[in-house]
Amino acid sequence: MRTQIVAGNWKMNCNLDESLHLLNELKLKDFSKAEVEVVIAPTFTNLYAVHQNLNDSSIKISSQNINENEEGAYTGEISPDMLKSVGVEYVIIGHSERRAIYNESDELLAKKATAALKHDLKIMFCIGEMLDQRKADKHFDVVKDQLEKGLFHLSASEMENVVIAYEPVWAIGTGETASPEQAQEIHEHIRNVLAKKYNQNIADQTSILYGGSVKPNNAKEIFAKKDVDGGLIGGASLDANSFAEIVMSF
Ligand code: PGA
């Protein structure tokens, strides 16, 4: 049985006080009823404090980015070891905002994936097509290409620490979501691509999350699809009640 995960990507929101406040609200929710791993991704400056304040909560911490180098003259960057040292368990790699705004290439993302795994950090690797690519019916090829270039240098055993997040770019922050059927068909495709590259076991074990305007009112029907193993939640993760409702949609 693969792990079901609901992860909140806080993006560049919440200062320290706001992050701790949101965490405290989440800690009041009883996530134990949902058989799902709950992950939150605060911004770099708040990772340590959030981790220190988890207490006995089962919530896990993710960073939103990572640098591919070990250490050295990379002003403004954060290394894998730094993340590990403050309690980070997951890293989001390849979010479409990093790809689009910061020009992160597939080649760079591949290096980031290797660097994260070397430090025992699990990866949430984001893929997804843009609107014009979907309109041109290229979405299946686009995600396959992103997987091949960003992840397929990894071994089968390394893939055990990789979660994939399918996030159609046209659905991120737009209020428009993929229909449950659209999500299912592309998640199934992703699983088939994994099976072909690695083996059926790896494909069956890999959690594939959907992201893009997941809200309390649409989470249940998306999560009900057989190849959707959870969600990567942006906007709705900034509100503890909405995020908890999404978690409870399982
Ligand atoms: P959204 O963001 O839920 O606000 O659409 C999702 C994401 O960017 O991961």
Side-chain angles (χ1 to χ4, degrees):
M1 178 69 183
R2 43 185 181 259
T3 313
Q4 298 184 311
I5 301 169
V6 176
N9 175 9
W10 294 2
K11 306 193 180 181
M12 199 176 75
N13 296 292
C14 299
N15 65 20
L16 179 59
D17 285 347
E18 290 160 347
S19 295
L20 293 177
H21 180 73
L22 183 50
L23 173 69
N24 284 334
E25 286 187 321
L26 291 173
K27 281 179 1 191
L28 296 174
K29 308 286 178 192
D30 182 10
F31 291 132
S32 63
K33 288 193 211 101
E35 284 185 11
V36 43
E37 196 167 288
V38 178
V39 182
I40 53 174
T43 196
F44 284 136
T45 52
N46 302 330
L47 289 169
Y48 178 68
V50 167
H51 183 258
Q52 290 293 101
N53 283 276
L54 280 178
N55 306 332
D56 54 0
S57 163
S58 60
I59 297 173
K60 297 188 169 16
I61 308 286
S62 175
S63 69
Q64 301 171 16
N65 189 17
I66 187 171
N67 186 275
E68 68 281 12
N69 296 292
E70 287 292 313
E71 62 182 356
Y74 303 101
T75 302
E77 290 294 310
I78 310 287
S79 75
D81 180 52
M82 291 170 186
L83 296 174
K84 192 75 192 169
S85 73
V86 295
V88 166
E89 198 164 319
Y90 280 95
V91 293
I92 298 173
I93 295 179
H95 191 280
S96 66
E97 287 150 16
R98 303 269 350 147
R99 291 176 187 263
I101 307 170
Y102 300 100
N103 296 317
E104 293 195 355
S105 65
D106 293 308
E107 293 67 31
L108 175 67
L109 301 176
K111 287 185 190 158
K112 291 188 176 207
T114 299
L117 292 175
K118 192 171 165 204
H119 289 266
D120 292 325
L121 292 157
K122 294 184 203 158
I123 298 172
M124 276 188 265
F125 194 83
C126 303
I127 54 176
E129 81 285 357
M130 294 194 277
L131 184 58
D132 57 331
Q133 294 169 324
R134 166 136 320 234
K135 282 187 174 155
D137 219 19
K138 296 216 170 85
H139 43 295
F140 291 108
D141 292 339
V142 169
V143 297
K144 181 163 183 268
D145 190 58
Q146 289 171 330
L147 289 171
E148 284 171 351
K149 292 183 175 150
L151 281 185
F152 283 3
H153 61 295
L154 300 177
S155 67
S157 66
E158 286 174 318
M159 281 302 286
E160 287 170 17
N161 290 311
V162 176
V163 170
I164 292 169
Y166 167 67
E167 300 203 296
V169 180
W170 47 271
I172 296 178
T174 59
E176 197 173 329
T177 85
S179 68
E181 293 69 32
Q182 284 174 322
Q184 170 54 31
E185 68 171 1
I186 201 143
H187 281 226
E188 190 175 343
H189 166 71
I190 292 165
R191 214 176 290 291
N192 288 337
V193 172
L194 291 173
K196 229 173 169 173
K197 163 69 186 173
Y198 295 98
N199 55 56
Q200 195 58 48
N201 198 27
I202 292 290
D204 289 341
Q205 271 177 26
T206 304
S207 303
I208 307 177
L209 316 183
Y210 170 79
S213 298
V214 177
K215 307 284 177 211
N217 64 5
N218 59 26
K220 203 174 184 130
E221 47 176 7
I222 297 175
F223 294 167
K225 291 296 178 188
K226 81 173 173 33
D227 286 298
V228 178
D229 306 309
L232 181 54
I233 321 299
S237 72
L238 297 172
D239 178 85
N241 290 329
S242 297
F243 187 63
E245 258 189 78
I246 294 170
V247 172
M248 298 304 177
S249 301
F250 271 103

